[in-house]
Amino acid sequence: MAAYILRRLLLIIPTLIGILTINFIIIQAAPGGPVEQTIAQLQGLDTNATARISGAQNDISSQTASNTSGNGSSDSGYRGAQGLDPELIKEIEAIYGFDKPAHERFWQMLKNYAVFDFGKSLFSDKSVIDLIIEKLPVSISLGLWATLITYMVSIPLGIRKAVRDGTPFDIWTSSAIIIGYAIPNFLFAILLIVIFAGGTWFDWFPLRGLTSPNFDELSLWGQIKDYFWHITLPVIASVIGSFATLTMLTKNSFLDEINKQYVLTARAKGLSENQVLYGHVFRNAMLIIIAGMPAALISIFFTGSMLIEVIFSLDGIGLLGYEAVINRDYPVIFGTLYIFTLIGLLLKLISDITYVLVDPRIDFESREN
């Protein structure tokens, strides 16, 4: 097993490089990068950039009047660069690191990332690590509670549905699950706001933030209540989609195992249903659930939480990544991509190790030989 873990850890390196390479090519080919955005701002054009111009850009802005008043012309390939002095364009490129060829920038990025140096955001005076650390508690709070509640409810419910397959309980719970699965989590979030957050019906829960403005002044018990008061609706909205999927996955997995020969043999030996279910079926049926945990964690933390964070004004990782893509904040884009791809690969390895702990008959090392 140790040799298998070592090989998997070594494979993380080329996997990370491959993912970064593909995304680097795609991002570089996309129009509207930071240089183009700065040029547009200097020309007074309207853009959708929401990030603030950095201090270096402000220095360039003050220089623009003298450079543009002389009717300077530019041979730059950037759209909208006509009328700007070529030296000014070069200064803008140098600010963002675009004064070097793409392959040199990519190689420098790989060397920096090898020592976890992700640089600074192009549009804020903070390092990428500081931004992630600042936003991470919100996403961790939302993701962990959503994952915990999903698994605590879905697995027992799925087992119960498998044991009582075809009964009225199975039918009406399946109907409720299908309805929940059909409603997107962001739409369900809006519905919760309308009903419980002062929209139309009740004003029971707050609409913005993870804590109240006077959070630091509250007692310990008051802080706990305030935190759960704010997190309740976002967590419920995050759970709805994954709850339905995991419940049906658990049910189908247990149904497949219940009909196998070893279950009939265990019953023939006089074991009780609980002994058969949790002593034999549970270990085998849970393998597919364990395999899906890394993907579930990643999706709940980032892809699934982005819209929830926007709707409930939660300043987390999902919102950070979205704004970085919109503003072409390359250090934030690639820094978060690198960190969370690495986390995903490590979680996948952990899930494989958990496979062996749950069922010692599984031997990944022998399969590779």
Side-chain angles (χ1 to χ4, degrees):
M1 190 64 184
Y4 170 77
I5 294 175
L6 179 60
R7 284 196 297 270
R8 287 289 299 274
L9 290 174
L10 293 176
L11 281 173
I12 289 177
I13 298 174
T15 303
L16 279 172
I17 293 175
I19 292 174
L20 287 174
T21 301
I22 294 173
N23 283 273
F24 185 85
I25 294 172
I26 294 174
I27 292 294
Q28 296 299 310
V35 175
E36 288 90 341
Q37 290 190 27
T38 303
I39 290 173
Q41 290 166 348
L42 291 176
Q43 294 282 38
L45 300 178
D46 186 21
T47 66
N48 291 324
T50 57
R52 294 179 302 175
I53 303 176
S54 63
Q57 287 177 278
N58 289 332
D59 293 339
I60 290 179
S61 297
S62 62
Q63 181 185 343
T64 304
S66 60
N67 286 337
T68 56
S69 60
N71 295 323
S73 63
S74 173
D75 296 329
S76 171
Y78 296 108
R79 294 182 59 186
Q82 290 76 11
L84 292 179
D85 192 294
E87 293 299 322
L88 180 60
I89 301 297
K90 290 181 181 180
E91 288 186 38
I92 297 174
E93 290 178 337
I95 289 174
Y96 296 115
F98 281 80
D99 55 333
K100 299 177 181 179
H103 68 277
E104 291 186 16
R105 287 186 277 117
F106 180 69
W107 175 243
Q108 185 62 46
M109 182 182 72
L110 291 182
K111 290 194 296 184
N112 292 338
Y113 283 16
V115 294
F116 292 91
D117 178 11
F118 303 107
K120 296 180 66 174
S121 168
L122 298 180
F123 297 103
S124 66
D125 192 25
K126 292 182 180 180
S127 68
V128 175
I129 289 294
D130 289 340
L131 281 173
I132 293 175
I133 293 175
E134 178 183 325
K135 313 293 185 182
L136 199 55
V138 174
S139 294
I140 288 179
S141 295
L142 187 58
L144 285 183
W145 281 115
T147 304
L148 180 63
I149 293 174
T150 298
Y151 275 81
M152 287 182 64
V153 175
S154 297
I155 292 177
L157 180 59
I159 295 173
R160 189 65 174 172
K161 286 175 61 63
V163 172
R164 303 182 62 178
D165 184 42
T167 64
F169 171 81
D170 179 45
I171 294 173
W172 72 260
T173 52
S174 294
S175 300
I177 287 171
I178 292 173
I179 295 173
Y181 184 76
I183 302 176
N185 59 0
F186 71 90
L187 186 59
F188 192 74
I190 296 174
L191 179 63
L192 291 175
I193 290 174
V194 170
I195 297 176
F196 298 109
T200 302
W201 298 82
F202 307 103
D203 191 9
W204 291 349
F205 295 95
L207 184 58
R208 301 178 61 87
L210 199 61
T211 57
S212 298
N214 62 335
F215 181 79
D216 294 335
E217 302 173 4
L218 300 175
S219 63
L220 178 59
W221 176 242
Q223 290 179 343
I224 293 174
K225 290 193 298 181
D226 183 75
Y227 168 76
F228 282 106
W229 184 45
H230 282 76
I231 202 70
T232 298
L233 293 186
V235 168
I236 293 175
S238 299
V239 163
I240 188 69
S242 54
F243 167 78
T245 303
L246 184 60
T247 300
M248 297 307 297
L249 181 64
T250 303
K251 176 193 173 181
N252 294 332
S253 179
F254 271 79
L255 280 177
D256 289 341
E257 294 296 325
I258 286 174
N259 296 322
K260 290 184 178 179
Q261 183 62 43
Y262 74 90
V263 176
L264 299 177
T265 303
R267 287 171 176 167
K269 291 181 178 180
L271 296 179
S272 66
E273 282 299 313
N274 283 339
Q275 288 176 321
V276 172
L277 191 63
Y278 296 103
H280 295 76
V281 176
F282 185 84
R283 183 178 63 182
N284 296 323
M286 285 300 294
L287 291 177
I288 191 172
I289 311 300
I290 294 171
M293 287 186 68
L297 285 171
I298 294 297
S299 64
I300 290 176
F301 270 115
F302 311 112
T303 58
S305 65
M306 184 185 72
L307 291 175
I308 302 299
E309 290 178 5
V310 172
I311 292 172
F312 288 98
S313 301
L314 301 176
D315 195 10
I317 293 295
L319 185 58
L320 173 66
Y322 173 77
E323 291 179 344
V325 172
I326 294 298
N327 296 317
R328 302 294 194 273
D329 196 343
Y330 296 145
V332 176
I333 293 174
F334 289 110
T336 53
L337 174 68
Y338 180 90
I339 292 174
F340 299 122
T341 300
L342 179 60
I343 292 174
L345 293 172
L346 292 175
L347 285 174
K348 180 60 178 174
L349 175 59
I350 292 173
S351 71
D352 289 345
I353 297 173
T354 310
Y355 265 139
V356 179
L357 296 177
V358 173
D359 190 349
R361 296 172 299 174
I362 297 177
D363 188 357
F364 289 106
E365 192 167 355
S366 63
R367 291 185 179 185
E368 294 188 352
N369 297 328

